[in-house]
Amino acid sequence: MIGGGQLARMTSAAAVALGIEFRVLAASPDESAAQVCAHTVLGDYHDAASVLSFARGCDVVTFDHEHVPADLIAAMEQAGIVVRPGGQALRFAQDKLAMRERVSALGIACPRYAPVTDLAAVEAFAAGSGWPVVLKAISGGYDGKGVWVCRTPAQAREVLDHGIGLIAEEFVAFERELAILVARSASGQGAAYPVVETVQRDGICREVIAPAPGLSSGTAVQAQWLGLRLAAELDVTGLLAVELFETSAGLLVNEVAMRPHNSGHWTMDGSVTSQFEQHLRAVLNLPLGATAPVAPVVVMENILGGTEPDLREGLVHVMALDPGVKVHYYGKAVRPGRKVGHVNVAGGDPAEVTARARRAASYLANCVEDEMLPGGASPDSADPAPAVAQEGA
Amino acid sequence: MIGGGQLARMTSAAAVALGIEFRVLAASPDESAAQVCAHTVLGDYHDAASVLSFARGCDVVTFDHEHVPADLIAAMEQAGIVVRPGGQALRFAQDKLAMRERVSALGIACPRYAPVTDLAAVEAFAAGSGWPVVLKAISGGYDGKGVWVCRTPAQAREVLDHGIGLIAEEFVAFERELAILVARSASGQGAAYPVVETVQRDGICREVIAPAPGLSSGTAVQAQWLGLRLAAELDVTGLLAVELFETSAGLLVNEVAMRPHNSGHWTMDGSVTSQFEQHLRAVLNLPLGATAPVAPVVVMENILGGTEPDLREGLVHVMALDPGVKVHYYGKAVRPGRKVGHVNVAGGDPAEVTARARRAASYLANCVEDEMLPGGASPDSADPAPAVAQEGA
C-alpha cells in the first residue's frame, strides 16, 4: 500500500489475520502506518524511483490516498506491476471534472457543474444555479483545501487567484448526506455495505450512522445499485466509496474515493467484514466477505484534535464510563481539527448509541463533555470564502 | 510481550487501535509475531541479558507463554520493571504442583493428585483412584509433551524414566470440558467472558463453542465466580484462562493459563472486546472492555497442519463458499498437527454454525472436506503411553 496514513495503519492490522505480508511505502517512520507495520519502506510517493522500487517487490499495489501522480501509476502498469485499482479507474478519483463527466454520461445524477477558468465563467454559472457557488479543485487543491463555498463574486475571485484548475458546482440544499461503500474484486465480484448517513461540519466528516436512519428501502437499494454500477462502469478493483446528497429530487453523487473511507470505519466493529479486510480481499482477488451488520445500529464518531494534547488522558475515563466503546487511535500528534482517531459504538437504539459515541469522542479530544455536533453543515457568511478542509479519508 | 508466537501476533494487531507502542521479544524474524510487529526485538527469553535489556525499554512487560524462567521474572521485578502478571502469580501457571496445592487450599475442586517420583508412588496413587493414571510434568515437559495417560505400570515407568518432576492425577470421566476466561486489571477490576465448551482431540484443542451449549445458568455463574475468585486469590494481572472438567459431581479445575488462550480466540469476532485487547487493557491498567457476545453462538475451530502445505490454497474456496467465515492465520509453516490458524463463525444456530466452522477449518488444512471431530477425547490403548501434546496456547 502506497501511503502511510491511518487507512494503511488499519489495513495493516486487517492483513494480520489473512497471513499475507503487508508492506507500506511511507514518508517517515513517524507516519501512522509506519508505527505498526513490520514491513515499512521509506520513500516519497512522488518519486518514480522510490515508487517503482517499492512496487516491484509487491504482488499487488494499492493505495492509502489518491495523490500518487497519474504518470507514476501508468509507469507501474507499463512495468507489468499489478496496480489495483488501476490507473484508468483511479483517474476518476483524482480528477473531479473527469468524474463528473463520466457519472453524468452514465445517466447518474450529480450536482450541476461546469469547468471555470475566470470570474466571468463563475458568474455565468451562478446566473443559472444561483449563489452560493461551490468551487472545487479539479485535482489536489491549495493550502490543504480543495472546496470553497463562495457567496459572492469577490470570494470566487480570491479562489480563482490561486491559479488552480477548478469546477463550479451548484450549492445543493440537501436534506442530508449519505454514503455507499461497495467492494469489487479483481474478477468482478461486487458487495455493498448498508447505506450510511454521514454528518459533516466545516467540510470534515464528524459522524457516521449505520444504517442511515429512516432511509426508505427503495432509496437504500438505489444507492447500493448506484455504488455497484459505478464500481463496474469505472472498472474499480478494491473499495469504492460514493458520497451522496439526499435531496427532495433524489440522490446526487457528490464525491468518490477508491480506497477505505472514513464513512466505512464503522465496519471495524459493526460488520462481519471490516472495510480494510474487504479492500485486501478485493485487490488480492479473494472472494468478498459478508457485509452484514452485527448490531441494529452502529455509530462512528471521529476524534478531532482538540484542547487535550495527550490522547491517553481521556482513555481511562471513557473506558470506565462505557465499556462498550471501541476506540481507534491513529498514532498521530494532536493538532486542532486533525483526525486523530475515531470511536465506534454498536447497539439497539440510534439516539442512545449516538449519544454514547459523541460523548466518548468529545471526551477523548478535550477531556470534557462539550456540546456536540449540530446536525448539518453551517457555512458561515464571513469574508473571505470559507475554505473547506478535505482530508479525504 | 515476551515471546513471538501467535498470541503475541494477535495482541500486536489489537494494540494498533489503542495507539500504544507494542514490542515483542522474539527468537527470530520468522516467528509469528515478528512477521507483523513493527517493534520486534530479537533475543532469547532464557537469556538474562536479552530479557532485561528488552524489559528496561518497556512500561509494562507481559507474556506470550509461561516458559520464561522464574528467576528471570524475579530479576525483572527486582530491577523495578513492571511485570504483569507478576512472578508470584505466574508461579501457579508454571508449576502444576503449586497450582494444585493452591487451588485445593482455596477449597476449589480439582482432580485428585499427588506428586510422584517413582513407580511405587504411582501404583500407590492408582490403588486409590484406579488406572489409567494421568502423569503430568510439574513444569515444562519432555520432547514437547507434558501430559501422559498411562493405562499400565509399564507405561508409567516409561514416563518416569524421563527423570522430570511429575504429578499423578486421576483420569477424570468428565461429561465435557469447559473453560472460563476472566481478566483482572492492575487495580483489581475483574471481568468474565461467557463460559465456553472446548473440544479436545489427542490433547489438542480443536473446537470452542461460545457460550457452552445447554449449560445451566447456575453452573455458568459458578464457573465465572471461580475464575474471578482465582484471579483475585492468585493476584493475576491480565487474563486468566481456567480449563474445567464438567462432571456429574460438579466442576473440577484442570489447567490454568495467565495470558490470551486458545479457548478465547472466539472473542476476536464474537465479543465486543477481544481477549487480546482485554489483556492489554488489564496489564496497562485501563478499565476493562465489555465481554458481551455479539451473536447467539460463536464457534472457533483450530486449523491444524494437514496435507496441504500452502494455506492460501483453500482460502478462495472457503471464502467463496461462506462469506461469513473469519479466517485467522498465524504465518506459521505447516507441520502435521501444528496449530497454524483458526476460524471463527458467528450465527444463530449452534449446529449450523459448528458445521460451517468445521467445514472451513477442514478445507483450509487439507483442501478437502473430511470427516471431522468426534465429540471428545479417545485415549487409545496402544503401548507405549500415549503422550498428549501441550502447546498450551
Side-chain angles (χ1 to χ4, degrees), chain B residues 329-363:
Chain B
Y329 277 159
Y330 305 156
K332 290 176 147 181
V334 169
R335 288 202 307 255
R338 185 189 207 192
K339 289 179 190 169
V340 291
H342 69 271
V343 299
N344 285 331
V345 179
D349 177 64
E352 182 243 343
V353 171
T354 302
R356 289 168 59 196
R358 288 180 181 182
R359 186 174 59 189
S362 164
Y363 201 93

PDB file of all heavy atoms in Angstrom, chain B residues 329-363:
ATOM      1  N   TYR B 329      -4.912 -16.520  10.265  1.00  0.00           N
ATOM      2  CA  TYR B 329      -3.688 -17.285  10.033  1.00  0.00           C
ATOM      3  C   TYR B 329      -2.569 -16.747  10.907  1.00  0.00           C
ATOM      4  O   TYR B 329      -2.529 -15.554  11.217  1.00  0.00           O
ATOM      5  CB  TYR B 329      -3.293 -17.174   8.559  1.00  0.00           C
ATOM      6  CG  TYR B 329      -4.007 -18.137   7.633  1.00  0.00           C
ATOM      7  CD1 TYR B 329      -4.084 -17.868   6.272  1.00  0.00           C
ATOM      8  CD2 TYR B 329      -4.575 -19.314   8.100  1.00  0.00           C
ATOM      9  CE1 TYR B 329      -4.715 -18.744   5.395  1.00  0.00           C
ATOM     10  CE2 TYR B 329      -5.219 -20.188   7.235  1.00  0.00           C
ATOM     11  CZ  TYR B 329      -5.285 -19.905   5.887  1.00  0.00           C
ATOM     12  OH  TYR B 329      -5.909 -20.770   5.024  1.00  0.00           O
ATOM     13  N   TYR B 330      -1.664 -17.647  11.257  1.00  0.00           N
ATOM     14  CA  TYR B 330      -0.582 -17.276  12.177  1.00  0.00           C
ATOM     15  C   TYR B 330       0.763 -17.060  11.475  1.00  0.00           C
ATOM     16  O   TYR B 330       1.751 -16.747  12.137  1.00  0.00           O
ATOM     17  CB  TYR B 330      -0.414 -18.348  13.260  1.00  0.00           C
ATOM     18  CG  TYR B 330      -1.658 -18.670  14.043  1.00  0.00           C
ATOM     19  CD1 TYR B 330      -1.814 -19.906  14.682  1.00  0.00           C
ATOM     20  CD2 TYR B 330      -2.702 -17.741  14.176  1.00  0.00           C
ATOM     21  CE1 TYR B 330      -2.947 -20.210  15.418  1.00  0.00           C
ATOM     22  CE2 TYR B 330      -3.845 -18.047  14.909  1.00  0.00           C
ATOM     23  CZ  TYR B 330      -3.960 -19.286  15.519  1.00  0.00           C
ATOM     24  OH  TYR B 330      -5.088 -19.591  16.245  1.00  0.00           O
ATOM     25  N   GLY B 331       0.805 -17.270  10.172  1.00  0.00           N
ATOM     26  CA  GLY B 331       2.075 -17.083   9.469  1.00  0.00           C
ATOM     27  C   GLY B 331       3.082 -18.180   9.764  1.00  0.00           C
ATOM     28  O   GLY B 331       4.286 -17.986   9.605  1.00  0.00           O
ATOM     29  N   LYS B 332       2.583 -19.339  10.181  1.00  0.00           N
ATOM     30  CA  LYS B 332       3.478 -20.442  10.542  1.00  0.00           C
ATOM     31  C   LYS B 332       3.559 -21.453   9.409  1.00  0.00           C
ATOM     32  O   LYS B 332       2.565 -21.714   8.729  1.00  0.00           O
ATOM     33  CB  LYS B 332       2.940 -21.150  11.789  1.00  0.00           C
ATOM     34  CG  LYS B 332       3.054 -20.337  13.053  1.00  0.00           C
ATOM     35  CD  LYS B 332       2.406 -21.103  14.196  1.00  0.00           C
ATOM     36  CE  LYS B 332       3.123 -20.812  15.500  1.00  0.00           C
ATOM     37  NZ  LYS B 332       2.528 -21.578  16.621  1.00  0.00           N
ATOM     38  N   ALA B 333       4.736 -22.062   9.274  1.00  0.00           N
ATOM     39  CA  ALA B 333       4.883 -23.140   8.307  1.00  0.00           C
ATOM     40  C   ALA B 333       4.028 -24.329   8.746  1.00  0.00           C
ATOM     41  O   ALA B 333       3.898 -24.620   9.933  1.00  0.00           O
ATOM     42  CB  ALA B 333       6.350 -23.559   8.220  1.00  0.00           C
ATOM     43  N   VAL B 334       3.440 -24.992   7.766  1.00  0.00           N
ATOM     44  CA  VAL B 334       2.562 -26.128   8.058  1.00  0.00           C
ATOM     45  C   VAL B 334       3.399 -27.340   8.475  1.00  0.00           C
ATOM     46  O   VAL B 334       4.355 -27.703   7.794  1.00  0.00           O
ATOM     47  CB  VAL B 334       1.711 -26.477   6.822  1.00  0.00           C
ATOM     48  CG1 VAL B 334       0.995 -27.809   7.015  1.00  0.00           C
ATOM     49  CG2 VAL B 334       0.710 -25.358   6.532  1.00  0.00           C
ATOM     50  N   ARG B 335       3.054 -27.900   9.637  1.00  0.00           N
ATOM     51  CA  ARG B 335       3.571 -29.212  10.047  1.00  0.00           C
ATOM     52  C   ARG B 335       2.381 -30.011  10.541  1.00  0.00           C
ATOM     53  O   ARG B 335       1.449 -29.431  11.120  1.00  0.00           O
ATOM     54  CB  ARG B 335       4.589 -29.067  11.192  1.00  0.00           C
ATOM     55  CG  ARG B 335       5.926 -28.485  10.785  1.00  0.00           C
ATOM     56  CD  ARG B 335       7.022 -28.867  11.802  1.00  0.00           C
ATOM     57  NE  ARG B 335       6.635 -28.524  13.164  1.00  0.00           N
ATOM     58  CZ  ARG B 335       7.123 -27.489  13.857  1.00  0.00           C
ATOM     59  NH1 ARG B 335       8.020 -26.705  13.308  1.00  0.00           N
ATOM     60  NH2 ARG B 335       6.724 -27.254  15.082  1.00  0.00           N
ATOM     61  N   PRO B 336       2.378 -31.330  10.330  1.00  0.00           N
ATOM     62  CA  PRO B 336       1.187 -32.101  10.704  1.00  0.00           C
ATOM     63  C   PRO B 336       0.804 -31.882  12.169  1.00  0.00           C
ATOM     64  O   PRO B 336       1.641 -32.007  13.062  1.00  0.00           O
ATOM     65  CB  PRO B 336       1.613 -33.551  10.457  1.00  0.00           C
ATOM     66  CG  PRO B 336       2.658 -33.447   9.393  1.00  0.00           C
ATOM     67  CD  PRO B 336       3.395 -32.167   9.666  1.00  0.00           C
ATOM     68  N   GLY B 337      -0.435 -31.511  12.381  1.00  0.00           N
ATOM     69  CA  GLY B 337      -0.958 -31.356  13.727  1.00  0.00           C
ATOM     70  C   GLY B 337      -0.637 -30.029  14.388  1.00  0.00           C
ATOM     71  O   GLY B 337      -1.131 -29.748  15.485  1.00  0.00           O
ATOM     72  N   ARG B 338       0.169 -29.198  13.747  1.00  0.00           N
ATOM     73  CA  ARG B 338       0.535 -27.916  14.354  1.00  0.00           C
ATOM     74  C   ARG B 338      -0.598 -26.915  14.189  1.00  0.00           C
ATOM     75  O   ARG B 338      -1.216 -26.829  13.129  1.00  0.00           O
ATOM     76  CB  ARG B 338       1.785 -27.388  13.641  1.00  0.00           C
ATOM     77  CG  ARG B 338       2.358 -26.122  14.236  1.00  0.00           C
ATOM     78  CD  ARG B 338       3.454 -25.570  13.318  1.00  0.00           C
ATOM     79  NE  ARG B 338       4.429 -24.795  14.061  1.00  0.00           N
ATOM     80  CZ  ARG B 338       5.348 -24.018  13.507  1.00  0.00           C
ATOM     81  NH1 ARG B 338       5.453 -23.961  12.194  1.00  0.00           N
ATOM     82  NH2 ARG B 338       6.198 -23.338  14.244  1.00  0.00           N
ATOM     83  N   LYS B 339      -0.849 -26.125  15.222  1.00  0.00           N
ATOM     84  CA  LYS B 339      -1.847 -25.067  15.098  1.00  0.00           C
ATOM     85  C   LYS B 339      -1.295 -23.963  14.216  1.00  0.00           C
ATOM     86  O   LYS B 339      -0.330 -23.289  14.573  1.00  0.00           O
ATOM     87  CB  LYS B 339      -2.171 -24.476  16.468  1.00  0.00           C
ATOM     88  CG  LYS B 339      -2.956 -25.385  17.394  1.00  0.00           C
ATOM     89  CD  LYS B 339      -3.177 -24.682  18.737  1.00  0.00           C
ATOM     90  CE  LYS B 339      -3.749 -25.638  19.774  1.00  0.00           C
ATOM     91  NZ  LYS B 339      -3.713 -25.056  21.133  1.00  0.00           N
ATOM     92  N   VAL B 340      -1.904 -23.783  13.065  1.00  0.00           N
ATOM     93  CA  VAL B 340      -1.417 -22.769  12.121  1.00  0.00           C
ATOM     94  C   VAL B 340      -2.432 -21.638  11.902  1.00  0.00           C
ATOM     95  O   VAL B 340      -2.156 -20.697  11.163  1.00  0.00           O
ATOM     96  CB  VAL B 340      -1.039 -23.409  10.767  1.00  0.00           C
ATOM     97  CG1 VAL B 340       0.201 -24.283  10.923  1.00  0.00           C
ATOM     98  CG2 VAL B 340      -2.211 -24.204  10.198  1.00  0.00           C
ATOM     99  N   GLY B 341      -3.573 -21.743  12.529  1.00  0.00           N
ATOM    100  CA  GLY B 341      -4.578 -20.699  12.400  1.00  0.00           C
ATOM    101  C   GLY B 341      -5.870 -21.161  13.050  1.00  0.00           C
ATOM    102  O   GLY B 341      -5.927 -22.244  13.659  1.00  0.00           O
ATOM    103  N   HIS B 342      -6.876 -20.342  12.941  1.00  0.00           N
ATOM    104  CA  HIS B 342      -8.207 -20.760  13.389  1.00  0.00           C
ATOM    105  C   HIS B 342      -9.247 -20.007  12.578  1.00  0.00           C
ATOM    106  O   HIS B 342      -8.940 -19.020  11.908  1.00  0.00           O
ATOM    107  CB  HIS B 342      -8.390 -20.523  14.897  1.00  0.00           C
ATOM    108  CG  HIS B 342      -8.461 -19.086  15.311  1.00  0.00           C
ATOM    109  ND1 HIS B 342      -7.346 -18.343  15.636  1.00  0.00           N
ATOM    110  CD2 HIS B 342      -9.505 -18.240  15.435  1.00  0.00           C
ATOM    111  CE1 HIS B 342      -7.711 -17.112  15.949  1.00  0.00           C
ATOM    112  NE2 HIS B 342      -9.015 -17.018  15.839  1.00  0.00           N
ATOM    113  N   VAL B 343     -10.472 -20.514  12.628  1.00  0.00           N
ATOM    114  CA  VAL B 343     -11.596 -19.795  12.029  1.00  0.00           C
ATOM    115  C   VAL B 343     -12.627 -19.531  13.116  1.00  0.00           C
ATOM    116  O   VAL B 343     -12.760 -20.304  14.066  1.00  0.00           O
ATOM    117  CB  VAL B 343     -12.265 -20.583  10.871  1.00  0.00           C
ATOM    118  CG1 VAL B 343     -11.269 -20.825   9.743  1.00  0.00           C
ATOM    119  CG2 VAL B 343     -12.863 -21.900  11.349  1.00  0.00           C
ATOM    120  N   ASN B 344     -13.337 -18.426  12.965  1.00  0.00           N
ATOM    121  CA  ASN B 344     -14.477 -18.122  13.814  1.00  0.00           C
ATOM    122  C   ASN B 344     -15.712 -17.974  12.932  1.00  0.00           C
ATOM    123  O   ASN B 344     -15.637 -17.377  11.857  1.00  0.00           O
ATOM    124  CB  ASN B 344     -14.276 -16.791  14.560  1.00  0.00           C
ATOM    125  CG  ASN B 344     -13.299 -16.900  15.711  1.00  0.00           C
ATOM    126  OD1 ASN B 344     -13.160 -17.961  16.319  1.00  0.00           O
ATOM    127  ND2 ASN B 344     -12.627 -15.802  16.020  1.00  0.00           N
ATOM    128  N   VAL B 345     -16.804 -18.505  13.427  1.00  0.00           N
ATOM    129  CA  VAL B 345     -18.087 -18.309  12.750  1.00  0.00           C
ATOM    130  C   VAL B 345     -19.114 -17.923  13.805  1.00  0.00           C
ATOM    131  O   VAL B 345     -19.200 -18.571  14.856  1.00  0.00           O
ATOM    132  CB  VAL B 345     -18.548 -19.580  12.003  1.00  0.00           C
ATOM    133  CG1 VAL B 345     -19.899 -19.339  11.327  1.00  0.00           C
ATOM    134  CG2 VAL B 345     -17.505 -20.009  10.975  1.00  0.00           C
ATOM    135  N   ALA B 346     -19.878 -16.875  13.529  1.00  0.00           N
ATOM    136  CA  ALA B 346     -20.938 -16.428  14.436  1.00  0.00           C
ATOM    137  C   ALA B 346     -22.278 -16.635  13.766  1.00  0.00           C
ATOM    138  O   ALA B 346     -22.393 -16.532  12.543  1.00  0.00           O
ATOM    139  CB  ALA B 346     -20.748 -14.950  14.784  1.00  0.00           C
ATOM    140  N   GLY B 347     -23.281 -16.937  14.568  1.00  0.00           N
ATOM    141  CA  GLY B 347     -24.614 -17.117  13.993  1.00  0.00           C
ATOM    142  C   GLY B 347     -25.644 -17.413  15.050  1.00  0.00           C
ATOM    143  O   GLY B 347     -25.426 -17.148  16.236  1.00  0.00           O
ATOM    144  N   GLY B 348     -26.752 -17.973  14.595  1.00  0.00           N
ATOM    145  CA  GLY B 348     -27.870 -18.180  15.497  1.00  0.00           C
ATOM    146  C   GLY B 348     -28.054 -19.614  15.945  1.00  0.00           C
ATOM    147  O   GLY B 348     -28.490 -19.864  17.063  1.00  0.00           O
ATOM    148  N   ASP B 349     -27.704 -20.557  15.094  1.00  0.00           N
ATOM    149  CA  ASP B 349     -27.992 -21.959  15.389  1.00  0.00           C
ATOM    150  C   ASP B 349     -26.699 -22.722  15.642  1.00  0.00           C
ATOM    151  O   ASP B 349     -25.826 -22.804  14.764  1.00  0.00           O
ATOM    152  CB  ASP B 349     -28.730 -22.582  14.200  1.00  0.00           C
ATOM    153  CG  ASP B 349     -28.987 -24.052  14.411  1.00  0.00           C
ATOM    154  OD1 ASP B 349     -29.740 -24.379  15.347  1.00  0.00           O
ATOM    155  OD2 ASP B 349     -28.411 -24.864  13.666  1.00  0.00           O
ATOM    156  N   PRO B 350     -26.545 -23.292  16.847  1.00  0.00           N
ATOM    157  CA  PRO B 350     -25.272 -23.949  17.184  1.00  0.00           C
ATOM    158  C   PRO B 350     -24.858 -25.032  16.190  1.00  0.00           C
ATOM    159  O   PRO B 350     -23.684 -25.091  15.795  1.00  0.00           O
ATOM    160  CB  PRO B 350     -25.543 -24.541  18.577  1.00  0.00           C
ATOM    161  CG  PRO B 350     -26.618 -23.680  19.151  1.00  0.00           C
ATOM    162  CD  PRO B 350     -27.477 -23.269  17.987  1.00  0.00           C
ATOM    163  N   ALA B 351     -25.789 -25.862  15.768  1.00  0.00           N
ATOM    164  CA  ALA B 351     -25.418 -26.965  14.870  1.00  0.00           C
ATOM    165  C   ALA B 351     -24.951 -26.425  13.518  1.00  0.00           C
ATOM    166  O   ALA B 351     -23.954 -26.890  12.948  1.00  0.00           O
ATOM    167  CB  ALA B 351     -26.612 -27.910  14.691  1.00  0.00           C
ATOM    168  N   GLU B 352     -25.647 -25.437  13.022  1.00  0.00           N
ATOM    169  CA  GLU B 352     -25.304 -24.878  11.709  1.00  0.00           C
ATOM    170  C   GLU B 352     -23.971 -24.134  11.781  1.00  0.00           C
ATOM    171  O   GLU B 352     -23.122 -24.271  10.893  1.00  0.00           O
ATOM    172  CB  GLU B 352     -26.430 -23.939  11.255  1.00  0.00           C
ATOM    173  CG  GLU B 352     -26.219 -23.332   9.887  1.00  0.00           C
ATOM    174  CD  GLU B 352     -26.103 -21.816   9.930  1.00  0.00           C
ATOM    175  OE1 GLU B 352     -26.497 -21.199  10.940  1.00  0.00           O
ATOM    176  OE2 GLU B 352     -25.573 -21.249   8.950  1.00  0.00           O
ATOM    177  N   VAL B 353     -23.785 -23.359  12.842  1.00  0.00           N
ATOM    178  CA  VAL B 353     -22.541 -22.593  12.985  1.00  0.00           C
ATOM    179  C   VAL B 353     -21.354 -23.545  13.143  1.00  0.00           C
ATOM    180  O   VAL B 353     -20.284 -23.344  12.550  1.00  0.00           O
ATOM    181  CB  VAL B 353     -22.657 -21.606  14.166  1.00  0.00           C
ATOM    182  CG1 VAL B 353     -21.315 -20.966  14.478  1.00  0.00           C
ATOM    183  CG2 VAL B 353     -23.698 -20.528  13.854  1.00  0.00           C
ATOM    184  N   THR B 354     -21.546 -24.600  13.937  1.00  0.00           N
ATOM    185  CA  THR B 354     -20.473 -25.568  14.139  1.00  0.00           C
ATOM    186  C   THR B 354     -20.108 -26.252  12.820  1.00  0.00           C
ATOM    187  O   THR B 354     -18.928 -26.421  12.496  1.00  0.00           O
ATOM    188  CB  THR B 354     -20.893 -26.618  15.183  1.00  0.00           C
ATOM    189  OG1 THR B 354     -21.218 -25.942  16.398  1.00  0.00           O
ATOM    190  CG2 THR B 354     -19.782 -27.621  15.438  1.00  0.00           C
ATOM    191  N   ALA B 355     -21.117 -26.615  12.062  1.00  0.00           N
ATOM    192  CA  ALA B 355     -20.846 -27.287  10.777  1.00  0.00           C
ATOM    193  C   ALA B 355     -20.071 -26.365   9.841  1.00  0.00           C
ATOM    194  O   ALA B 355     -19.137 -26.798   9.150  1.00  0.00           O
ATOM    195  CB  ALA B 355     -22.168 -27.726  10.138  1.00  0.00           C
ATOM    196  N   ARG B 356     -20.440 -25.090   9.816  1.00  0.00           N
ATOM    197  CA  ARG B 356     -19.728 -24.135   8.953  1.00  0.00           C
ATOM    198  C   ARG B 356     -18.267 -24.000   9.387  1.00  0.00           C
ATOM    199  O   ARG B 356     -17.359 -23.979   8.552  1.00  0.00           O
ATOM    200  CB  ARG B 356     -20.412 -22.765   9.000  1.00  0.00           C
ATOM    201  CG  ARG B 356     -21.754 -22.720   8.295  1.00  0.00           C
ATOM    202  CD  ARG B 356     -22.509 -21.432   8.630  1.00  0.00           C
ATOM    203  NE  ARG B 356     -21.756 -20.241   8.239  1.00  0.00           N
ATOM    204  CZ  ARG B 356     -22.032 -19.005   8.687  1.00  0.00           C
ATOM    205  NH1 ARG B 356     -23.024 -18.801   9.535  1.00  0.00           N
ATOM    206  NH2 ARG B 356     -21.314 -17.981   8.277  1.00  0.00           N
ATOM    207  N   ALA B 357     -18.046 -23.893  10.687  1.00  0.00           N
ATOM    208  CA  ALA B 357     -16.675 -23.709  11.176  1.00  0.00           C
ATOM    209  C   ALA B 357     -15.827 -24.943  10.898  1.00  0.00           C
ATOM    210  O   ALA B 357     -14.668 -24.844  10.465  1.00  0.00           O
ATOM    211  CB  ALA B 357     -16.697 -23.392  12.676  1.00  0.00           C
ATOM    212  N   ARG B 358     -16.400 -26.131  11.120  1.00  0.00           N
ATOM    213  CA  ARG B 358     -15.650 -27.369  10.882  1.00  0.00           C
ATOM    214  C   ARG B 358     -15.294 -27.519   9.411  1.00  0.00           C
ATOM    215  O   ARG B 358     -14.178 -27.901   9.060  1.00  0.00           O
ATOM    216  CB  ARG B 358     -16.474 -28.579  11.340  1.00  0.00           C
ATOM    217  CG  ARG B 358     -16.580 -28.703  12.836  1.00  0.00           C
ATOM    218  CD  ARG B 358     -17.403 -29.934  13.204  1.00  0.00           C
ATOM    219  NE  ARG B 358     -17.531 -30.035  14.656  1.00  0.00           N
ATOM    220  CZ  ARG B 358     -18.161 -31.034  15.273  1.00  0.00           C
ATOM    221  NH1 ARG B 358     -18.731 -32.000  14.559  1.00  0.00           N
ATOM    222  NH2 ARG B 358     -18.229 -31.065  16.582  1.00  0.00           N
ATOM    223  N   ARG B 359     -16.267 -27.235   8.555  1.00  0.00           N
ATOM    224  CA  ARG B 359     -16.030 -27.366   7.131  1.00  0.00           C
ATOM    225  C   ARG B 359     -14.906 -26.439   6.684  1.00  0.00           C
ATOM    226  O   ARG B 359     -14.009 -26.825   5.934  1.00  0.00           O
ATOM    227  CB  ARG B 359     -17.327 -27.039   6.381  1.00  0.00           C
ATOM    228  CG  ARG B 359     -17.277 -27.276   4.902  1.00  0.00           C
ATOM    229  CD  ARG B 359     -18.647 -27.065   4.279  1.00  0.00           C
ATOM    230  NE  ARG B 359     -19.122 -25.710   4.538  1.00  0.00           N
ATOM    231  CZ  ARG B 359     -20.358 -25.276   4.274  1.00  0.00           C
ATOM    232  NH1 ARG B 359     -21.250 -26.112   3.768  1.00  0.00           N
ATOM    233  NH2 ARG B 359     -20.712 -24.033   4.524  1.00  0.00           N
ATOM    234  N   ALA B 360     -14.938 -25.192   7.175  1.00  0.00           N
ATOM    235  CA  ALA B 360     -13.915 -24.229   6.767  1.00  0.00           C
ATOM    236  C   ALA B 360     -12.526 -24.657   7.251  1.00  0.00           C
ATOM    237  O   ALA B 360     -11.554 -24.646   6.488  1.00  0.00           O
ATOM    238  CB  ALA B 360     -14.257 -22.842   7.302  1.00  0.00           C
ATOM    239  N   ALA B 361     -12.432 -25.043   8.527  1.00  0.00           N
ATOM    240  CA  ALA B 361     -11.123 -25.405   9.073  1.00  0.00           C
ATOM    241  C   ALA B 361     -10.569 -26.646   8.385  1.00  0.00           C
ATOM    242  O   ALA B 361      -9.376 -26.737   8.084  1.00  0.00           O
ATOM    243  CB  ALA B 361     -11.231 -25.637  10.580  1.00  0.00           C
ATOM    244  N   SER B 362     -11.444 -27.587   8.124  1.00  0.00           N
ATOM    245  CA  SER B 362     -11.026 -28.813   7.457  1.00  0.00           C
ATOM    246  C   SER B 362     -10.506 -28.509   6.056  1.00  0.00           C
ATOM    247  O   SER B 362      -9.454 -29.011   5.634  1.00  0.00           O
ATOM    248  CB  SER B 362     -12.209 -29.772   7.392  1.00  0.00           C
ATOM    249  OG  SER B 362     -11.962 -30.781   6.452  1.00  0.00           O
ATOM    250  N   TYR B 363     -11.234 -27.675   5.345  1.00  0.00           N
ATOM    251  CA  TYR B 363     -10.827 -27.403   3.974  1.00  0.00           C
ATOM    252  C   TYR B 363      -9.522 -26.615   3.929  1.00  0.00           C
ATOM    253  O   TYR B 363      -8.652 -26.870   3.086  1.00  0.00           O
ATOM    254  CB  TYR B 363     -11.930 -26.657   3.213  1.00  0.00           C
ATOM    255  CG  TYR B 363     -11.760 -26.822   1.732  1.00  0.00           C
ATOM    256  CD1 TYR B 363     -12.413 -27.844   1.061  1.00  0.00           C
ATOM    257  CD2 TYR B 363     -10.879 -26.011   1.023  1.00  0.00           C
ATOM    258  CE1 TYR B 363     -12.216 -28.042  -0.296  1.00  0.00           C
ATOM    259  CE2 TYR B 363     -10.676 -26.193  -0.333  1.00  0.00           C
ATOM    260  CZ  TYR B 363     -11.345 -27.215  -0.985  1.00  0.00           C
ATOM    261  OH  TYR B 363     -11.136 -27.408  -2.323  1.00  0.00           O
TER     262      TYR B 363
END
